[in-house]
Amino acid sequence: MPALNVEFSDRELEDLRQIAKERGTSMKALVREAAAADIARHRALQEGAEAFRRFFASHADEFAAAFPDDEPSARGEGRAA
Protein backbone atom coordinates (compact mmCIF):
# COMPACT_ATOMS: atom_id res chain seq x y z
CA MET A 1 0.00 0.00 0.00
CA PRO A 2 1.35 3.47 -0.82
CA ALA A 3 2.49 5.54 2.14
CA LEU A 4 2.87 9.21 2.97
CA ASN A 5 5.31 10.76 5.41
CA VAL A 6 3.73 13.59 7.36
CA GLU A 7 5.62 15.99 9.60
CA PHE A 8 4.14 17.28 12.85
CA SER A 9 5.38 19.76 15.41
CA ASP A 10 6.47 18.35 18.77
CA ARG A 11 3.25 19.63 20.31
CA GLU A 12 1.06 18.08 17.59
CA LEU A 13 2.89 14.77 17.90
CA GLU A 14 2.42 14.71 21.65
CA ASP A 15 -1.28 15.55 21.23
CA LEU A 16 -1.63 12.72 18.71
CA ARG A 17 0.06 10.29 21.11
CA GLN A 18 -2.28 11.32 23.91
CA ILE A 19 -5.43 11.07 21.77
CA ALA A 20 -4.39 7.67 20.38
CA LYS A 21 -3.72 6.43 23.90
CA GLU A 22 -7.11 7.69 25.13
CA ARG A 23 -8.85 5.96 22.21
CA GLY A 24 -6.85 2.77 22.57
CA THR A 25 -5.54 2.92 19.02
CA SER A 26 -2.27 3.54 17.24
CA MET A 27 -1.18 6.95 16.03
CA LYS A 28 -1.07 5.59 12.50
CA ALA A 29 -4.67 4.40 12.73
CA LEU A 30 -5.75 7.71 14.28
CA VAL A 31 -4.20 9.80 11.50
CA ARG A 32 -5.49 7.48 8.78
CA GLU A 33 -9.02 7.61 10.24
CA ALA A 34 -8.90 11.42 10.37
CA ALA A 35 -7.74 11.63 6.76
CA ALA A 36 -10.37 9.12 5.58
CA ALA A 37 -13.09 11.08 7.40
CA ASP A 38 -11.97 14.32 5.77
CA ILE A 39 -11.94 12.67 2.33
CA ALA A 40 -15.48 11.38 2.89
CA ARG A 41 -16.62 14.82 4.07
CA HIS A 42 -15.06 16.48 1.02
CA ARG A 43 -16.77 14.04 -1.35
CA ALA A 44 -20.12 14.54 0.37
CA LEU A 45 -19.79 18.32 0.08
CA GLN A 46 -18.93 18.02 -3.62
CA GLU A 47 -21.91 15.75 -4.23
CA GLY A 48 -24.21 18.08 -2.28
CA ALA A 49 -23.01 21.10 -4.22
CA GLU A 50 -23.58 19.30 -7.51
CA ALA A 51 -27.08 18.25 -6.43
CA PHE A 52 -27.83 21.88 -5.51
CA ARG A 53 -26.54 23.14 -8.87
CA ARG A 54 -28.75 20.64 -10.72
CA PHE A 55 -31.78 21.56 -8.59
CA PHE A 56 -31.18 25.29 -9.04
CA ALA A 57 -30.70 24.94 -12.80
CA SER A 58 -33.87 22.91 -13.19
CA HIS A 59 -35.86 25.51 -11.20
CA ALA A 60 -34.15 28.67 -12.47
CA ASP A 61 -37.38 30.23 -13.75
CA GLU A 62 -39.10 29.68 -10.41
CA PHE A 63 -36.19 31.26 -8.53
CA ALA A 64 -36.16 34.20 -10.96
CA ALA A 65 -39.89 34.77 -10.38
CA ALA A 66 -39.59 34.43 -6.60
CA PHE A 67 -36.51 36.66 -6.29
CA PRO A 68 -36.63 39.20 -9.13
CA ASP A 69 -34.31 41.63 -7.33
CA ASP A 70 -31.55 39.04 -7.47
CA GLU A 71 -31.72 38.70 -11.24
CA PRO A 72 -29.11 40.41 -13.43
CA SER A 73 -30.31 43.55 -15.16
CA ALA A 74 -31.33 43.42 -18.81
CA ARG A 75 -28.05 45.10 -19.77
CA GLY A 76 -26.07 42.23 -18.24
CA GLU A 77 -24.54 44.39 -15.55
CA GLY A 78 -25.53 42.13 -12.66
CA ARG A 79 -27.14 43.16 -9.44
CA ALA A 80 -25.87 46.31 -7.77
CA ALA A 81 -24.57 45.96 -4.21
Side-chain angles (χ1 to χ4, degrees):
M1 179 183 293
L4 173 68
N5 292 328
V6 180
E7 295 181 13
F8 296 97
S9 70
D10 291 339
R11 173 64 191 264
E12 291 167 334
L13 200 55
E14 184 55 40
D15 288 346
L16 284 171
R17 282 190 186 103
Q18 183 62 36
I19 294 167
K21 182 179 178 183
E22 290 172 6
R23 294 185 184 179
T25 191
S26 69
M27 289 175 41
K28 183 177 179 178
L30 179 68
V31 171
R32 186 177 188 304
E33 180 182 309
D38 196 50
I39 290 167
R41 177 183 166 274
H42 180 75
R43 286 179 183 158
L45 287 172
Q46 285 181 318
E47 290 170 8
E50 182 56 33
F52 174 78
R53 282 190 287 274
R54 284 192 309 269
F55 177 83
F56 188 83
S58 67
H59 294 87
D61 292 340
E62 296 166 62
F63 282 107
F67 305 102
D69 292 342
D70 292 335
E71 287 299 299
S73 68
R75 292 174 285 185
E77 296 171 0
R79 184 174 174 222

